[in-house]
Amino acid sequence: MLRINDDITLQDWEMTESFVRSSGPGGQNVNKVSTAVELRFEAARSPSLPDPVKNRLKRIAGRRWTKDGAIVIQCEDTRSQARNREIARARLGELIARALVKPKRRIATKPTYGSVKRRLAAKKARGDVKALRGKVSEE
């Protein structure tokens, strides 16, 4: 069971872990021990997450989101299988916590009259400077 906040707790059946051989640190040990973890969370079918959170999670997860609606997180940072498992679960929790934050709605604004005038005056002045860089006429 993975606790995200007071309201959201992920059940064990929603997550599956598989252990594979790591390509990271470990010397000869990496050839015989499966220390890397691949955590798979069935996000689309999860009853723990509301639909708006699932939509934000899909956008945040990016290429970690599979076609069947699962999030796959791989971790092979350490030589310890247990530590890699903790890191993968922490990354999943962090990802879901980021998806829980509702983005602030943007309010469209219009530039002030004075700022438009200042911008156009600066463009005119810059254009005049560049115009003076040309060849001098014979007249």
Side-chain angles (χ1 to χ4, degrees):
M1 197 158 75
L2 181 63
R3 186 180 174 98
I4 306 299
N5 62 14
D6 293 339
D7 301 328
I8 297 177
T9 304
L10 305 179
Q11 301 303 320
D12 287 332
W13 65 267
E14 298 177 85
M15 298 178 286
T16 55
E17 295 169 335
S18 59
F19 298 98
V20 292
R21 289 197 178 140
S22 177
S23 63
Q28 292 179 356
N29 199 42
V30 296
N31 298 328
K32 53 189 176 176
V33 179
S34 299
T35 56
V37 66
E38 185 177 277
L39 178 66
R40 184 179 176 91
F41 170 60
E42 301 295 334
R45 295 188 290 148
S46 174
S48 307
L49 301 176
D51 287 336
V53 174
K54 287 179 187 177
N55 293 335
R56 286 193 294 267
L57 186 60
K58 181 177 182 178
R59 187 175 37 82
I60 292 171
R63 61 184 196 145
R64 290 177 286 198
W65 186 276
T66 63
K67 289 180 183 175
D68 57 331
I71 294 177
V72 178
I73 296 177
Q74 296 173 336
C75 180
E76 54 181 50
D77 294 352
T78 66
R79 295 170 67 169
S80 166
Q81 188 184 74
R83 184 69 185 121
N84 281 337
R85 187 174 180 218
E86 290 173 12
I87 293 170
R89 284 176 166 251
R91 286 180 187 168
L92 177 64
E94 184 180 301
L95 204 65
I96 294 172
R98 278 181 38 211
L100 288 173
V101 177
K102 188 176 178 183
K104 204 168 144 184
R105 194 168 150 253
R106 185 186 180 279
I107 299 170
T109 57
K110 196 171 148 183
T112 62
Y113 181 77
S115 68
V116 171
K117 288 291 182 190
R118 284 190 299 273
R119 184 180 64 86
L120 293 176
K123 283 172 67 86
K124 178 74 175 135
R126 187 75 184 142
D128 291 343
V129 167
K130 288 186 173 188
L132 292 173
R133 290 184 189 158
K135 290 187 177 180
V136 178
S137 62
E138 302 264 337
E139 297 174 12

